[in-house]
């Protein structure tokens, strides 16, 4: 088990946090994570995080739902059990497609939505009964916490974060299991 130190810089305003993140990056300190009680717009860009590819997943999941709907309706309504419903011919899929559009739409949305939620939870490593990793309970209410790796002089880093507007700065021994 290795131990290393991190600094918890706690802020009480999102604009001060944004400025602090920019100053921290400019000073070449490595930001491990930022905990906020609500989404802070632009924080991901300020932290230098890569853009998410989850929209590509949503598109692929929607295509999967659309393909499943087309396959399902063709097999059920045309191949397996063709019926004359309201005078509509049941000889081919394309003749019945206008009636199938609502089902195709709903299956596309259903697959995209449900598979996106599952993907988000798996990607974020969130599953039932997982212990919370929130380092300070105040970040669920009204405070913001920036976790930064200690590199170099610890006292200089603490004073740096106090100068960025942090209301509280703590140095913590973080334990990592290998």
């Amino acid at each position: 088990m290795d131990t290393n130190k991190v600094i918890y810089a706690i802020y009480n305003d999102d604009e001060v946090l944004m400025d602090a993140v920019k100053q921290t990056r400019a000073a070449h300190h490595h930001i491990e994570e930022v905990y906020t009680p609500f989404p802070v717009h632009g924080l991901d860009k300020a932290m230098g995080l890569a853009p998410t590819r989850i929209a590509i997943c949503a598109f692929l999941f929607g295509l999967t739902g659309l393909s499943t709907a087309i396959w399902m309706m063709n097999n059920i309504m045309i191949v397996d059990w063709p019926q004359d419903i309201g005078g509509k011919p049941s000889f081919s899929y394309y003749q019945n497609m206008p009636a199938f559009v609502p089902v195709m739409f709903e299956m596309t949305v259903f697959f995209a939505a449900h598979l996106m939620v599952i993907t988000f939870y798996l990607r974020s490593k969130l599953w039932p009964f997982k212990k919370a990793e929130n380092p300070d309970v105040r970040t669920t209410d009204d405070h913001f916490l920036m976790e930064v790796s200690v590199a170099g002089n610890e006292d200089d880093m603490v004073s740096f974060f106090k100068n960025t507007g942090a209301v509280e700065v703590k140095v913590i021994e973080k334990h990592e299991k290998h």
Side-chain angles (χ1 to χ4, degrees), residues 58-94:
F59 178 73
L60 294 174
F61 295 153
L63 278 180
T64 303
L66 179 64
S67 301
T68 301
I70 291 169
W71 175 82
M72 181 185 74
M73 289 181 298
N74 185 57
N75 282 321
I76 292 171
M77 299 299 291
I78 306 301
V79 176
D80 187 40
W81 194 266
Q83 299 177 41
D84 185 0
I85 300 173
K88 294 179 183 158
S90 58
F91 303 120
S92 67
Y93 182 83
Y94 77 90

Side-chain angles (χ1 to χ4, degrees):
M1 185 180 291
D2 290 329
T3 62
N4 57 349
K5 292 184 178 181
V6 293
I7 291 179
Y8 288 167
I10 300 173
Y11 301 89
N12 59 6
D13 185 76
D14 58 334
E15 291 178 13
V16 175
L17 171 74
M18 284 292 286
D19 291 336
V21 166
K22 291 173 185 173
Q23 291 176 36
T24 303
R25 293 242 349 205
H28 303 292
H29 296 301
H30 179 66
I31 300 172
E32 295 285 337
E33 188 64 72
V34 175
Y35 299 90
T36 63
F38 54 83
V40 178
H41 297 288
L43 184 60
D44 53 342
K45 288 181 182 163
M47 289 177 62
L49 298 177
T52 179
R53 295 182 305 257
I54 204 154
I56 297 168
C57 290
F59 178 73
L60 294 174
F61 295 153
L63 278 180
T64 303
L66 179 64
S67 301
T68 301
I70 291 169
W71 175 82
M72 181 185 74
M73 289 181 298
N74 185 57
N75 282 321
I76 292 171
M77 299 299 291
I78 306 301
V79 176
D80 187 40
W81 194 266
Q83 299 177 41
D84 185 0
I85 300 173
K88 294 179 183 158
S90 58
F91 303 120
S92 67
Y93 182 83
Y94 77 90
Q95 289 176 318
N96 289 310
M97 189 152 97
F100 294 159
V101 168
V103 176
M104 292 164 43
F105 172 77
E106 292 299 330
M107 288 287 282
T108 300
V109 172
F110 179 85
F111 270 64
H114 286 79
L115 292 175
M116 284 291 295
V117 169
I118 292 168
T119 300
F120 172 76
Y121 283 137
L122 290 175
R123 181 70 178 96
S124 300
K125 297 178 183 165
L126 295 172
W127 42 79
F129 312 111
K130 184 176 190 281
K131 189 176 183 295
E133 295 177 4
N134 192 345
D136 193 320
V137 72
R138 294 176 291 177
T139 61
T140 63
D141 187 23
D142 62 350
H143 282 72
F144 306 85
L145 185 143
M146 180 170 35
E147 181 179 318
V148 181
S149 300
V150 174
N153 189 336
E154 183 179 311
D155 295 328
D156 289 344
M157 288 186 75
V158 168
S159 64
F160 170 80
F161 286 108
K162 286 183 180 175
N163 290 333
T164 62
V167 294
E168 186 178 328
V169 179
K170 299 184 216 175
V171 179
I172 306 290
E173 286 281 337
K174 191 170 184 178
H175 301 280
E176 293 184 13
K177 296 177 185 173
H178 289 284

